[in-house]
Amino acid sequence: MNLLEFEKEFKEKLGNKYVTKDVDKLNKELIKRKIDVSFLKDIILIKQEYHRTYFQVSLGLLDNIENQLNFIEDNFDKLNDWWHVDQLEQFISKKLTFEIAFSRALKYINSDHEFTRRWGYVIFMPKLVKDKSRYKDLFKLFKNDDKYYVIMAEAWLISYLGIYYPEDTLEYLKNKPLDYHIVGKGIQKICDSFRISEEYKCKFKEIRKLYK
């Protein structure tokens, strides 16, 4: 398949409406047919409607998690939109382990690229943060950042930790390890969740006083 053939099929099956579930259906068909969509690489930042297909199909054709993560790293310059970064977790193998994710994340969070740093946090959600044997290592990843989408990723991960491990998260935040603009957003996400008790929500709200 080449670009012209792809664009024809894309239009025939999707028309003028870009509906995610329909794009995913087409992408799964392309994976089943083993269609190489590398020809999309140089145009996905111009034609955003092809962005999801490029990543979902390319990752779906790779045979192991290491190759998938290497592909993502080779295409970090194409991930200049938070939405696409957050979707990557859906496209990679379920064989991703905490150990593999953590070793990669240690590099990602130190990148000069905002959305690479964001990926270093969202890669653990929602599944890997539940790893009871390793979750405490996630506290080592947090660092102050001034970019909005990284801040929100850290806050999001803090909220997951607060939901699943409230006592450890409270203890971590009491030590004031991060600027309030990260901690405050994390606490807000915790308080907005229906998965944590009102008792713990009150305890997290009390943490705010330590930062003011």
Side-chain angles (χ1 to χ4, degrees):
M1 179 178 282
N2 57 36
L3 178 58
L4 289 176
E5 292 170 335
F6 169 80
E7 289 187 319
K8 180 181 179 182
E9 183 169 349
F10 194 88
K11 187 171 182 58
E12 286 177 350
K13 295 189 174 179
L14 299 175
N16 295 318
K17 295 182 179 180
Y18 184 90
V19 180
T20 300
K21 67 179 182 64
D22 294 334
V23 176
D24 285 348
K25 181 179 180 181
L26 172 59
N27 293 345
K28 289 174 183 177
E29 289 178 11
L30 295 173
I31 293 171
K32 188 174 182 180
R33 287 156 52 194
K34 300 186 183 304
I35 300 298
D36 179 1
V37 294
S38 58
F39 52 81
L40 295 176
K41 181 172 183 175
D42 294 332
I43 65 169
I44 57 175
L45 295 184
I46 300 170
K47 294 192 173 184
Q48 288 279 320
E49 64 269 27
Y50 299 156
H51 202 290
R52 187 178 183 90
T53 296
Y54 174 67
F55 278 94
Q56 187 173 6
V57 175
S58 297
L59 290 168
L61 292 175
L62 294 172
D63 57 2
N64 64 61
I65 188 62
E66 294 287 353
N67 287 341
Q68 288 179 327
L69 293 176
N70 289 340
F71 174 84
I72 291 171
E73 291 179 11
D74 289 341
N75 286 272
F76 272 148
D77 61 324
K78 305 298 181 184
L79 291 169
N80 65 341
D81 183 291
W82 68 269
W83 183 85
H84 295 110
V85 174
D86 292 359
Q87 297 299 309
L88 291 177
E89 186 275 334
Q90 299 177 22
F91 305 153
I92 59 179
S93 171
K94 293 180 180 179
K95 293 182 179 180
L96 175 65
T97 63
F98 190 102
E99 289 74 16
I100 293 172
F102 190 76
S103 66
R104 299 274 181 145
L106 289 172
K107 297 186 297 181
Y108 300 157
I109 62 170
N110 289 306
S111 170
D112 292 332
H113 190 276
E114 177 179 2
F115 294 99
T116 299
R117 298 201 300 278
R118 181 176 174 90
W119 175 231
Y121 296 105
V122 301
I123 191 174
F124 295 97
M125 299 180 282
K127 185 183 74 171
L128 297 181
V129 73
K130 299 177 185 179
D131 187 334
K132 293 182 179 180
S133 67
R134 293 295 305 274
Y135 74 90
K136 290 184 180 180
D137 286 336
L138 294 176
F139 292 116
K140 302 173 185 177
L141 293 179
F142 294 112
K143 56 193 300 187
N144 287 319
D145 204 292
D146 60 358
K147 294 297 185 181
Y148 176 79
Y149 289 112
V150 184
I151 291 169
M152 296 309 293
E154 293 192 70
W156 193 9
L157 185 53
I158 287 172
S159 72
Y160 266 86
L161 288 165
I163 290 165
Y164 293 115
Y165 317 105
E167 289 295 339
D168 288 305
T169 307
L170 282 166
E171 189 62 30
Y172 173 74
L173 297 180
K174 284 178 182 177
N175 292 321
K176 300 175 68 174
L178 297 166
D179 290 341
Y180 181 69
H181 64 267
I182 298 174
V183 173
K185 288 180 171 61
I187 291 173
Q188 184 59 56
K189 287 180 176 293
I190 289 170
C191 293
D192 288 341
S193 175
F194 61 88
R195 292 180 290 177
I196 191 166
S197 69
E198 290 299 320
E199 178 184 359
Y200 272 119
K201 287 182 181 181
C202 289
K203 290 182 178 181
F204 278 104
K205 289 177 182 177
E206 287 293 310
I207 295 289
R208 290 172 172 162
K209 297 177 181 178
L210 299 177
Y211 290 80
K212 295 181 178 179

